[in-house]
Every structure is written in structure tokens, then in C-alpha cells.
């Protein structure tokens, strides 16, 4: 029986805000006492995580003085060194403080937009100081409840201006940082601009430094929109834009759940892991999830271990899928080689066009070709249920 112990090479990371979540929800007060960032690092090291990510204010309170900030950061760096954890990603909290009640970069108030740049530049400095190479932008409040209040074109322009400004700031400082934009369709706003991975990918191409900018897709966010997360990730990968990923779980049509990875839609999680491992995704596998509100810190540890363990079990299942002779024989049958059309993947050529233009096709023969997807999918189910183990 494999141990499913996480290794550094798995690049499993958690946000300070994930294991540090205190179980507050819109209807109820916290169920867990807060624990300090150094204690959270020790918890993460104990469960076997490789790294930690943070918002500026997960570590440094928003009202800290410069000398308090320096002391907190010094202590945190010492605990990183003590635990061996790395900090590969950082981000800005542009949603908690009431100043951001109408968003940050898209706020209708120019002073709020300027403050957002100020706060993000400081947070970028902090991230770089901690060794981050990816900087995430989640525009939680970049949206609206009333379309009478905010202009979507102007908001997109403001978002673009802010990202151009901050890309240029990083270039100016000589920071080697890549930006990963994280779409979400709603919550906490009624509608958030750039709601899905597809929207974000299109938007990135309108920036001044598109090569510096990619996406940070999150399972829960595409599920909230009723979309296939793996397909979104595949499109990001195809565009060379999968800079980071937020793993958690979420049922369609529910509130923003942030469940433990694989807790709700296991088949989707399997195909996602099979995809990531298949293409050789080499970035962080970041869990942006939190334990149930009913959990104590013992159960929070079980939650964190569970995220990683499920990923590793699904990775093994993906390997099994790739080695299963019956499954592979079915796949070979489905993707059978057709020599007459082998040149189709070389794109347009006049001869190919003329040949295909002239050729007669037997539609009935095409339609009669068997596609044993039922058998294939049932074998996948049985593999996941553990009844195909040799
Ligand atoms: C959410 C988001 C956030 C972001 C985080 C990092 O739904 O609240 O997923 O957790 O990922 O702010 O930018
Ligand atoms: Mn989320
Ligand atoms: Mn997220």
C-alpha cells in the first residue's frame, strides 16, 4: 500500500487564510480561535505541505507601523527557514477593508484606485521579499450589484490600466514576478467582472505585457458558473497561461463552499489530476479551501492532509488509467489511425483541400462506427471505486 505522503516535488501549498480560516460565515461567528502566522507555518510543516501563500494582511495587519511590519516579516522569515517551507505566491487583500466596498482597481473613486495601487505595490514588495515568483490578483469586489452604478467598459479599462501600471512597476524594480489573474463569477459581489477563465484569457491579450500575465483558475469558481473546470484549465494550458491553480471543491448551484479537494465532485477531480499530471504542469498545487465550520484544529489538520492525500491517490489512479490494458485498448479503438487523412493535422494545403472537396463520404458508414464510451466510462468508474486493482 503506498503511503501517499506528500513530497516537496509535489509542490503542495496552502494559503495562510485556508488553514487559518476561523469558521466565520454570513450567519455565524467564528468557531475557531485565530492562530498566529508562525503557528500556521508549523501546522503546515507538520502535515507535510511544501509551501505557504499569503495576502499582505494575513501576515501584516493593515494598520501595522513600518517597524511592526519589519519585525513581523523578520519573525515569519525565520519560521520559514525553521520549517523549510517556501512562499511561492503572494497576493493583496483588496476586499476586506471597507475602503474597498466598491472594488479596488474598478472603484468609481479615483482615490480608492490610487490607494489600491499603493497597497498592491507594498504587497508586491513583501511577496518578493518572501521569495514569491507568482503574484495573484483575485478581484473579489471588482464588480457590481447594480448595473446602474458601474460602467462595465470603464471598469475593464480601469482594470487594464491597473495591471499595466503594476506590470511596469515590477519591470522597473527588476522583480521576476508573473501575474496570475483569478476569475470568479460572483461572491462577494453580485456580479464580478471577468467571471471565468475564458473571459480572463481574452482580457490578458489586451494588456501591455501579456507575456507576464496568466491565470489562476479555481475549481469552485468555474463550478459556481456551472462549467467544466478541467476544460477551463486545458484552455489556459493550451494558451501557455496556466501560471497557478487553486484546488478545492464545490457543488454546482450552491454557496461558495471551498471544500477540501475532491470532497464533492470526485470524478471531476480525477480528470483534473489526470490532466495536470498528463501535461506535466510544474507549478504549485495550491489548496484554496478551508475546513468545515464544525472542525477544531485537529480536524483542520485532517482537512489539509486530506487535500494532499486525495490528490496523490488520484494521481495514482491516473497512472493506473494509463496502464490499464482494457481501457487503453478501448482508447486505441476510439482514436484509430486513419492513414488516408493523416495529413489533416498539417493544416491547409491546396492539394488536401482539393482532395477533400472532391471526395465522396459515406455518412451512414460514419454514423455506424461504434463509440464504446459507456464501456470506457464504466471502466473509469470501477477503477475509481477500486475494483480494478490487479
Ligand atoms: C475566494 C478566492 C480567494 C483568492 C485569494 C487569493 O473565493 O475568496 O478564491 O480565496 O483565491 O484571495 O487571491
Ligand atoms: Mn474561491
Ligand atoms: Mn482562490
Amino acid at each position: 500500500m503506498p503511503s501517499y505522503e506528500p513530497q516537496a516535488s509535489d509542490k503542495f501549498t496552502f494559503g495562510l487564510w485556508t488553514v487559518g480560516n476561523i469558521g466565520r460565515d454570513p450567519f455565524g461567528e467564528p468557531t475557531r480561535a485565530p492562530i498566529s502566522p508562525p503557528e500556521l507555518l508549523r501546522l503546515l510543516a507538520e502535515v507535510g505541505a511544501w509551501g505557504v501563500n499569503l495576502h499582505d494582511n494575513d501576515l501584516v495587519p493593515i494598520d501595522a507601523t513600518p517597524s511592526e511590519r519589519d519585525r513581523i516579516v523578520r519573525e515569519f522569515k525565520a519560521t520559514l527557514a525553521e520549517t523549510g517551507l517556501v512562499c511561492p505566491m503572494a497576493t493583496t487583500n483588496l476586499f476586506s477593508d471597507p475602503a474597498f466596498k466598491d472594488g479596488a482597481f474598478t472603484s468609481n473613486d479615483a482615490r480608492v484606485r490610487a490607494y489600491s495601487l499603493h497597497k498592491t505595490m507594498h504587497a508586491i514588495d513583501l511577496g518578493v521579499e518572501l521569495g514569491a515568483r507568482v503574484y495573484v490578483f483575485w478581484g473579489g469586489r471588482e464588480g457590481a450589484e447594480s448595473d446602474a452604478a458601474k460602467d462595465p467598459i470603464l471598469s475593464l479599462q480601469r482594470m487594464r490600466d491597473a495591471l499595466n501600471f503594476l506590470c511596469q512597476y515590477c519591470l522597473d524594480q527588476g522583480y521576476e514576478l508573473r501575474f496570475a489573474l483569478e476569475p470568479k463569477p460572483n461572491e462577494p459581489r453580485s456580479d464580478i467582472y471577468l467571471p471565468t477563465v475564458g473571459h480572463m484569457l481574452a482580457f490578458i491579450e489586451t494588456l501591455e505585457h501579456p507575456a507576464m500575465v496568466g491565470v489562476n483558475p479555481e475549481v469552485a469558481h468555474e463550478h459556481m458558473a456551472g462549467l467544466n473546470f478541467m476544460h477551463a484549465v486545458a484552455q489556459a494550458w493550451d494558451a501557455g497561461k496556466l501560471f497557478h491553480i487553486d484546488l478545492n471543491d464545490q457543488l454546482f448551484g450552491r454557496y461558495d463552499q471551498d471544500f477540501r479537494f475532491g470532497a464533492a465532485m470526485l470524478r471531476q477531480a480525477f480528470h483534473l489530476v489526470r490532466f495536470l499530471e498528463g501535461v506535466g504542469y510544474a507549478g504549485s498545487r495550491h489548496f484554496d479551501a478551508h475546513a468545515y465550520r464544525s472542525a477544531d484544529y485537529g480536524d483542520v489538520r485532517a482537512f489539509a492532509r486530506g487535500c494532499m492525500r486525495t490528490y496523490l491517490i488520484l494521481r495514482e489512479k491516473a497512472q493506473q488509467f494509463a496502464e490499464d490494458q482494457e481501457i487503453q485498448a478501448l482508447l486505441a479503438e476510439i482514436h484509430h489511425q486513419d492513414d488516408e487523412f493523416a495529413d489533416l493535422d498539417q493544416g491547409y494545403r491546396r492539394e488536401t483541400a482539393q482532395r477533400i472537396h472532391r471526395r465522396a463520404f459515406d455518412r451512414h458508414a460514419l454514423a455506424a462506427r461504434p463509440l464504446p464510451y459507456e464501456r470506457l466510462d464504466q471502466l473509469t468508474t470501477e477503477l475509481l471505486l477500486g475494483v480494478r486493482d490487479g
Side-chain angles (χ1 to χ4, degrees), residues 182 218 221 246 288:
E182 180 179 342
E218 173 169 317
H221 299 178
D246 277 8
D288 186 8

Side-chain angles (χ1 to χ4, degrees), residues 15-24 30-47 52-54 57-61 72 75-76 79 291 295-304:
L16 276 183
W17 71 93
T18 64
V19 282
N21 180 285
I22 54 177
R24 180 188 286 120
T31 55
R32 292 182 286 270
I35 58 178
S36 71
E39 282 311 308
L40 290 169
L41 290 186
R42 294 194 184 97
L43 185 156
L44 286 176
E46 183 193 323
V47 299
V52 66
N53 304 312
L54 46 86
N57 306 135
D58 297 339
L59 180 60
V60 183
I72 291 168
E75 192 192 346
F76 191 73
T79 319
D296 62 10
Y297 279 105
D299 215 24
V300 169
R301 286 174 171 77
F303 146 83

